[in-house]
Amino acid sequence: MPFLGQDWRSPGWRWVKTEDGWKRCEPFSPALEDGNNQLNDISHTVIITGDDENEEVYNTEDCEFAAKKRKKNHFRNNTDSQCFYREKWIYVHKESTRERHGYCTLGEAFNRLDFSSAIQDIRRFNYVVKLLQLIAKSQLTSLSGAAQKNYFNILDKIVQKVMEDQYNPRLIKDLLQDLSSTLCILIRGVGKSVLVGNINIWICRLETILLWQQQLKNLQMNKQVNNGLTLSDLPLHMLNNILYRFSDGWDIITLGQVTPTLYMLSEDRQLWKKLCQYHFAEKQFCRHLIPSEKGHIDWKLMYFALQKYYPIKEQYGDTLHFCRHCSILFWKDTGHPCTASDPNTCLMPVSPQHFIDLFKF
């Protein structure tokens, strides 16, 4: 009793009647071979017997297309599987043309740009994490089912990398917090209508996020034993230069907790003034002047106050690039098939927010 759908190209499912009821016949399926020995004797045909005892014979070759399709769906449903592409770039097109049908989606770009390898590069790690955080805040429902699987697989690799290397756990904690908040709102609210997949899958994913958060909370930094030169052995002017290289106020505070000398240097008013001037315009911090007890401006408090109202400048060791001539998004070191006479003049670095904006129609 084959089931024929509305699509004329579909050969339909093939079923076999057993003592336990009807079972779907999948050629070369280990489950059926172990469960029903009678199927092992059928090599070229599958015999289906109906209630009226009329026999219908179907060639196994007719089932080949359906078997390949089921095998393909099996790999798609595997949560550990990911999409891999030879080219690490994607053509960004927002409308249909004669050469290209449809348009490029955020999920397609997310799958094509190989973020799994990018998180292994310390120059790109913060960039990918920030991009995942922006997607978690507002674009999670824009991803396709395959892209959402890829998203959580990459997130799993990021958490494992942080657990092993203890690299920037604060950034990952912020990402997981935003992601869990978004999922709670979607699951409790309109989750069934906007989330791709069964709602129980998303509940399991939320539980996994809570587990990751607990693991990061219990993370213990490994104490490194080094008998050579340490940070404390450097002269004051070199330590001061290191602090001036930081663009994040929380990094300065964290480093200041290492030694009393670093704490003294991290409280320097001039250091926080330079940080405010780097991230914010003069008319912005003029609106939020915070004087100290001595009548001077408290630049440290100013920085964290301004951070609540205005976005800070983002710095990354490496970013995605967009070619204005070819409309291709790519990692700079992997390159792309550019047809411009001077490709370097057409390149434009793409921030995480710009990446999201490229796929808003």
Side-chain angles (χ1 to χ4, degrees):
M1 45 176 279
F3 170 76
L4 298 178
Q6 295 180 359
D7 190 349
W8 61 271
R9 297 168 297 180
S10 174
W13 299 112
R14 303 292 184 253
W15 298 83
V16 175
K17 189 174 183 179
T18 64
E19 295 179 356
D20 299 329
W22 288 91
K23 288 187 177 181
R24 192 172 66 199
C25 172
E26 298 185 18
F28 309 107
S29 173
L32 285 181
E33 290 178 1
D34 296 337
N36 190 356
N37 294 328
Q38 295 178 356
L39 292 180
N40 294 331
D41 298 330
I42 303 176
S43 57
H44 299 288
T45 59
V46 179
I47 302 176
I48 312 299
T49 305
D51 295 335
D52 55 359
E53 297 183 357
N54 293 329
E55 295 182 350
E56 296 180 2
V57 180
Y58 299 93
N59 291 330
T60 313
E61 295 177 355
D62 296 337
C63 305
E64 185 177 359
F65 177 78
K68 289 181 179 180
K69 185 177 181 181
R70 287 191 292 272
K71 184 177 180 181
K72 185 177 181 180
N73 291 337
H74 169 74
F75 286 105
R76 283 182 176 179
N77 294 331
N78 187 1
T79 56
D80 296 330
S81 64
Q82 287 182 260
C83 299
F84 296 95
Y85 298 89
R86 181 176 300 176
E87 298 86 4
K88 308 302 180 184
W89 51 266
I90 186 169
Y91 178 79
V92 181
H93 52 107
K94 298 186 177 182
E95 57 184 8
S96 298
T97 63
R98 290 183 178 181
E99 294 79 13
R100 295 181 179 272
H101 177 68
Y103 54 87
C104 180
T105 64
L106 176 62
E108 184 181 358
F110 187 81
N111 284 341
R112 288 287 297 271
L113 292 171
D114 192 21
F115 290 111
S116 295
S117 300
I119 61 174
Q120 304 302 326
D121 190 336
I122 193 173
R123 300 172 303 164
R124 301 174 180 174
F125 183 83
N126 291 357
Y127 181 88
V128 176
V129 172
K130 182 63 176 179
L131 178 59
L132 264 62
Q133 187 174 16
L134 291 177
I135 292 177
K137 287 182 178 180
S138 60
Q139 300 296 322
L140 189 62
T141 56
S142 300
L143 299 180
S144 63
Q148 288 175 357
K149 288 183 180 180
N150 197 12
Y151 180 96
F152 281 93
N153 285 332
I154 294 173
L155 187 57
D156 181 34
K157 292 182 179 180
I158 290 176
V159 173
Q160 299 307 319
K161 178 178 177 60
V162 173
M163 296 297 296
E164 294 174 2
D165 302 341
Q166 291 86 39
Y167 179 75
N168 210 343
R170 178 174 56 84
L171 192 63
I172 313 305
K173 290 179 181 179
D174 294 340
L175 166 59
L176 294 178
Q177 181 60 41
D178 292 335
L179 182 58
S180 61
S181 300
T182 302
L183 286 183
C184 286
I185 295 174
L186 293 176
I187 291 175
R188 294 175 182 175
V190 291
K192 292 184 178 180
S193 60
V194 298
L195 292 175
V196 178
N198 191 287
I199 195 68
N200 294 325
I201 296 177
W202 286 98
I203 294 176
C204 292
R205 287 174 175 171
L206 182 58
E207 293 175 351
T208 303
I209 294 172
L210 297 177
L211 177 61
W212 287 338
Q213 289 178 317
Q214 187 63 36
Q215 291 176 349
L216 292 173
K217 184 178 180 180
N218 299 331
L219 178 64
Q220 298 292 331
M221 295 295 179
N222 297 331
K223 186 176 182 180
Q224 298 182 356
V225 179
N226 191 352
N227 297 326
L229 188 67
T230 63
L231 190 65
S232 302
D233 298 327
L234 297 177
L236 289 178
H237 72 277
M238 294 187 66
L239 293 175
N240 200 39
N241 287 336
I242 292 174
L243 286 169
Y244 271 84
R245 299 289 181 179
F246 288 154
S247 61
D248 193 314
W250 284 109
D251 291 337
I252 295 176
I253 292 178
T254 303
L255 185 59
Q257 296 173 351
V258 176
T259 63
T261 302
L262 287 171
Y263 175 77
M264 178 190 67
L265 295 175
S266 67
E267 293 294 319
D268 182 26
R269 291 180 59 252
Q270 193 66 21
L271 171 65
W272 290 99
K273 180 179 179 180
K274 290 289 185 180
L275 196 62
C276 288
Q277 291 175 341
Y278 171 76
H279 286 289
F280 311 106
E282 183 177 357
K283 57 178 161 183
Q284 290 178 336
F285 55 75
C286 285
R287 299 175 184 174
H288 305 276
L289 292 177
I290 302 177
S292 62
E293 296 179 356
K294 297 181 180 179
H296 303 292
I297 298 176
D298 193 332
W299 292 105
K300 182 178 179 180
L301 293 179
M302 278 277 295
Y303 170 81
F304 290 104
L306 292 170
Q307 198 177 27
K308 299 178 181 179
Y309 298 99
Y310 310 104
I312 62 175
K313 292 182 180 179
E314 299 176 357
Q315 282 187 338
Y316 304 102
D318 190 15
T319 67
L320 288 169
H321 283 70
F322 181 75
C323 180
R324 293 186 293 268
H325 178 78
C326 305
S327 298
I328 289 179
L329 192 65
F330 65 102
W331 293 106
K332 191 173 182 180
D333 61 349
T334 59
H336 74 290
C338 188
T339 58
S341 57
D342 189 2
N344 291 331
T345 60
C346 306
L347 302 186
M348 178 180 63
V350 177
S351 66
Q353 184 59 54
H354 187 195
F355 178 90
I356 300 294
D357 295 337
L358 281 175
F359 303 97
K360 288 183 178 179
F361 307 110

